[in-house]
Amino acid sequence: MHRRNSALPCLLLALIAVLVLVPPWVSAVPSRNHGRPSLPSFQLPPCPEATADDGERGWTRRFRHAFVRRLSGLAGRRYECSADDIPYSRTPKQSSVGSPLNLRTKYDGDIVLRFNITTTDEANALAEAASVLFLDIWGSSNNWVDIRIAKDVVPPLLGLLPASLQRSHTPLIYDLTQAISRSYPSSSNDRTSQVSRGSHAFTHDLHTSTGDAENPFFSNYQPMSVIIPWMKLLVALFPTHVQVVNIGQTFEGRDIPAFRLGVHPADNPQQPRQPRKTVLISGGSHAREWISVSTVNYIANSLITSYGKSDPVTKLLEDFDWVFIPTLNVDGYVYTWEHDRLWRKNRQDTTLNFCPGIDLDRSFGFQWDGSSRGNPCSESFPGEFAFQAVESRLLAEWAKNERDNNNVDFVGFLDFHSYSQQILYPYSYSCMNPPPSLENLEELAMGLAKAIRTSTGERYSVTSACEGTITTQNGKKLVHPRIETGGGSALDWFYHELGVRYAYQIKLRDTGSYGFLLPKENIIPTGEEALHAIEHFGKFLESGMPFAENELSEDEPKPVSTDQKPLKTVIVEANSDGGADDLGDVGEDAYWELRRRRRR
């Protein structure tokens, strides 16, 4: 039985009360130590005095600003610099239409910055600062990290960073409120999702579409009130190979619907019934990642409507069952449509009433990381114990029941997220224990990336889910862990605990120009490239995979030490595993063949 730490919320509430309500105990200009520990030195511009209420919404933001004021010696006065003092503050104001009214003020003054990481000190300093200031990490790769931040918090953040990083950042989205408004469907015939120049610093050249006249469902993002009737309609139209199943009920009592596709051959009484090989594809674990929901629906719709018309698709549905969960986080997804477009977690109660929600992709039982369980306000809050998140527990129980009682053999798991255009394989929790079937995981992952590139030209990088930024020091390549904790992921649980041999997390478009607010013109192209990846995935499984049935035991996931600490920094030779991102098709094939030979 898991016991809640009842003292922890009280302590956090007390800390918030002290920071926000109690009169300051330091002056605006700190004196010399006087016996207190020294505080971080911020290089802040002068700010005008103000006594009016700052009007900011949200406990997390208020707590963060109070904390910043204490650290920076600005306690007792409002921290609000002039437009000349705050970077990126001169942004043209534009009208916002189409989104919930509260979003026009909730994210007013927020921007998204990209920090380019080149050294170990930079990686460590940014991770520390993001934790101290309760910042929302949007995305990361091997050389950059994207952060959503209020404009007036930029100077304190830069004050915590080394000088090199203070100059190594780029604005991705200037006007977040405007970008959010344009991500919602509009009744106008104009292309309202084409974000104005005033909202973005630069635009990545994505292959887009103006919509599909034959299927208007994918011309816009769709709420659950539209998705559920659409799912039922497809079942009514294609009852021979489609059904809707229910994974369970969310914390707020909503069903978690899923498609099950497949055509089962008639049983032969002369032979025992074999387990049905099944591929599970899910999206929407993080509520704000709308493109993942649309992509899962797009793939399902394509397979459903192509059965009997396309020989390859017909064979895929005859050889395998396919389960598609458009969004596991139904409550959170509904909340993004009705209240907060950038909500990430589910809507489950926590010990802090003003900070609800658990990160579904940090709540699974394998290598669950409880180090951040004391902060329910964190975007990556994993809960107070493994599987506390209702929806994560339901998915795990459903999958186990299918395997144990319904003769299902899960041979593939693909979890769609956004953004950064990456194909990630286990493990997520640490790089110190590579998966036993690493070579096969890499081989298929590279095939998926190649299928995408040849279909739309978009490049998806392939790497382990544990890897964060990569820097070079003294001729050695240093692989740092991701800023967010990687324990308790669905990817690791399905691979290790359920024994799904081919498990991946696929981060969809884009690489940061729009982030979670990808315009609707990208729905169909993103769906198309993901569909090509799924077709390659199915063909790979149909080919019998790169080993014989009697050799499977060699590659089955083996027990991982539960005492193993997560990765801090892994050092490898700078020239031993050079990336394949910029190689042509021949170069990639040779690169991965060389990697396989090295391991033998």
Side-chain angles (χ1 to χ4, degrees):
M1 176 181 295
H2 299 276
R3 296 183 178 178
R4 293 189 175 186
N5 187 347
S6 58
L8 190 57
C10 297
L11 289 174
L12 186 54
L13 282 170
L15 177 60
I16 293 174
V18 168
L19 286 172
V20 177
L21 302 176
V22 176
W25 61 82
V26 296
S27 63
V29 180
S31 61
R32 299 188 184 274
N33 202 327
H34 295 303
R36 293 194 190 98
S38 60
L39 294 173
S41 176
F42 292 88
Q43 300 298 320
L44 295 174
C47 297
E49 297 289 344
T51 57
D53 180 68
D54 59 13
E56 294 201 37
R57 269 65 54 185
W59 277 94
T60 302
R61 177 174 286 195
R62 191 176 178 188
F63 178 40
R64 180 187 64 204
H65 280 260
F67 190 62
V68 169
R69 289 197 295 271
R70 300 300 178 185
L71 287 180
S72 61
L74 294 176
R77 62 176 176 150
R78 180 185 175 197
Y79 180 76
E80 183 177 358
C81 298
S82 68
D84 293 330
D85 295 324
I86 302 175
Y88 316 120
S89 61
R90 292 191 177 276
T91 304
K93 288 293 181 181
Q94 301 181 22
S95 62
S96 298
V97 294
S99 63
L101 292 176
N102 63 316
L103 292 185
R104 303 182 189 179
T105 53
K106 183 178 181 65
Y107 293 105
D108 187 35
D110 280 13
I111 59 176
V112 178
L113 293 182
R114 167 162 295 178
F115 288 86
N116 299 306
I117 309 297
T118 58
T119 70
T120 301
D121 289 343
E122 290 177 354
N124 294 336
L126 186 58
E128 180 85 15
S131 176
V132 168
L133 299 179
F134 303 98
L135 300 181
D136 181 9
I137 307 298
W138 268 35
S140 63
S141 74
N142 59 5
N143 57 8
W144 53 259
V145 176
D146 295 347
I147 294 177
R148 176 179 64 84
I149 185 172
K151 293 174 187 175
D152 58 356
V153 180
V154 173
L157 171 62
L158 298 182
L160 286 172
L161 303 178
S164 59
L165 205 53
Q166 293 179 15
R167 299 183 297 270
S168 183
H169 52 85
T170 305
L172 296 183
I173 302 178
Y174 276 118
D175 187 344
L176 191 58
T177 302
Q178 181 73 8
I180 289 172
S181 295
R182 292 185 178 275
S183 72
Y184 284 91
S186 170
S187 58
S188 171
N189 292 326
D190 297 333
R191 297 182 61 187
T192 56
S193 62
Q194 182 59 46
V195 181
S196 66
R197 292 181 181 179
S199 300
H200 286 78
F202 64 87
T203 301
H204 178 54
D205 185 18
L206 290 168
H207 299 276
T208 61
S209 168
T210 57
D212 184 352
E214 295 183 359
N215 195 341
F217 183 83
F218 296 106
S219 64
N220 254 317
Y221 294 105
Q222 304 295 347
M224 287 305 296
S225 59
V226 174
I227 291 175
I228 292 177
W230 172 78
M231 295 177 72
K232 293 178 179 178
L233 174 63
L234 287 180
V235 172
L237 293 175
F238 304 97
T240 58
H241 54 283
V242 186
Q243 59 178 304
V244 171
V245 298
N246 185 22
I247 305 300
Q249 286 195 329
T250 66
F251 175 78
E252 293 182 339
R254 297 182 176 90
D255 288 340
I256 305 174
F259 281 122
R260 184 190 290 274
L261 281 56
V263 179
H264 295 206
D267 291 335
N268 186 348
Q270 305 286 333
Q271 298 178 349
R273 185 184 174 194
Q274 296 297 315
R276 180 66 172 175
K277 293 181 179 180
T278 301
V279 178
L280 174 61
I281 300 175
S282 66
S285 293
H286 294 147
R288 61 191 178 187
E289 298 170 8
W290 285 7
I291 190 61
S292 69
V293 179
S294 293
T295 299
V296 171
N297 284 335
Y298 188 91
I299 299 169
N301 179 78
S302 298
L303 297 185
I304 290 170
T305 57
S306 297
Y307 175 75
K309 302 175 184 177
S310 165
D311 290 341
V313 170
T314 300
K315 184 169 175 53
L316 288 180
L317 268 62
E318 290 175 348
D319 291 347
F320 304 97
D321 271 4
W322 300 81
V323 177
F324 293 89
I325 306 175
T327 174
L328 180 64
N329 188 2
V330 178
D331 292 345
Y333 187 68
V334 170
Y335 193 77
T336 62
W337 281 86
E338 297 178 353
H339 299 285
D340 185 347
R341 173 65 179 84
L342 295 180
W343 186 261
R344 169 185 167 101
K345 301 181 286 184
N346 73 355
R347 294 296 300 165
Q348 191 166 339
D349 291 340
T350 68
T351 52
L352 294 179
N353 292 336
F354 50 82
C355 287
I358 299 173
D359 185 345
L360 299 189
D361 202 36
R362 296 292 176 265
S363 184
F364 284 79
F366 179 70
Q367 293 293 327
W368 176 81
D369 182 5
S371 62
S372 59
R373 65 181 182 273
N375 182 15
C377 297
S378 168
E379 294 286 357
S380 299
F381 178 55
E384 298 174 29
F385 50 86
F387 285 123
Q388 183 183 13
V390 170
E391 295 83 359
S392 299
R393 174 178 55 80
L394 287 173
L395 179 59
E397 291 176 349
W398 174 84
K400 281 187 173 180
N401 182 68
E402 290 291 295
R403 180 196 62 183
D404 297 340
N405 300 317
N406 292 329
N407 206 33
V408 168
D409 176 20
F410 287 104
V411 295
F413 172 67
L414 297 104
D415 190 17
F416 283 99
H417 287 256
S418 71
Y419 59 94
S420 69
Q421 296 184 193
Q422 294 179 306
I423 299 175
L424 308 176
Y425 53 79
Y427 287 113
S428 174
Y429 82 97
S430 172
C431 291
M432 300 183 75
N433 282 317
S437 58
L438 176 61
E439 296 173 17
N440 295 323
L441 288 167
E442 287 178 335
E443 179 183 353
L444 178 51
M446 287 302 300
L448 299 179
K450 186 174 180 179
I452 291 172
R453 189 178 65 256
T454 56
S455 65
T456 63
E458 291 298 317
R459 303 186 70 87
Y460 280 59
S461 61
V462 173
T463 187
S464 170
C466 66
E467 291 187 7
T469 55
I470 299 177
T471 62
T472 302
Q473 182 175 328
N474 299 326
K476 305 288 186 180
K477 186 170 70 174
L478 307 180
V479 181
H480 303 278
R482 292 180 180 266
I483 290 183
E484 298 176 288
T485 176
S489 70
L491 173 69
D492 288 357
W493 187 86
F494 273 92
Y495 176 77
H496 190 89
E497 294 296 313
L498 204 66
V500 179
R501 192 170 310 282
Y502 291 99
Y504 298 95
Q505 182 180 109
I506 300 180
K507 294 197 171 185
L508 301 164
R509 295 188 183 190
D510 60 3
T511 55
S513 297
Y514 298 99
F516 303 120
L517 307 174
L518 195 67
K520 64 181 181 180
E521 287 80 14
N522 290 270
I523 293 174
I524 293 175
T526 304
E528 278 295 312
E529 61 197 25
L531 176 62
H532 281 83
I534 294 300
E535 290 173 344
H536 178 85
F537 190 92
K539 291 176 183 177
F540 184 89
L541 297 181
E542 284 177 337
S543 68
M545 297 168 282
F547 40 75
E549 196 70 26
N550 59 3
E551 295 173 343
L552 295 184
S553 60
E554 291 184 14
D555 289 325
E556 285 178 354
K558 299 176 176 61
V560 175
S561 170
T562 55
D563 297 328
Q564 180 66 61
K565 294 182 179 180
L567 165 74
K568 291 186 177 179
T569 299
V570 174
I571 303 177
V572 298
E573 296 292 340
N575 62 351
S576 65
D577 265 339
D581 284 350
D582 298 325
L583 299 176
D585 294 345
V586 176
E588 287 182 354
D589 294 341
Y591 165 72
W592 288 104
E593 178 61 26
L594 187 60
R595 288 196 66 171
R596 285 193 289 272
R597 289 179 182 177
R598 277 199 197 105
R599 292 192 179 97
R600 289 171 183 165

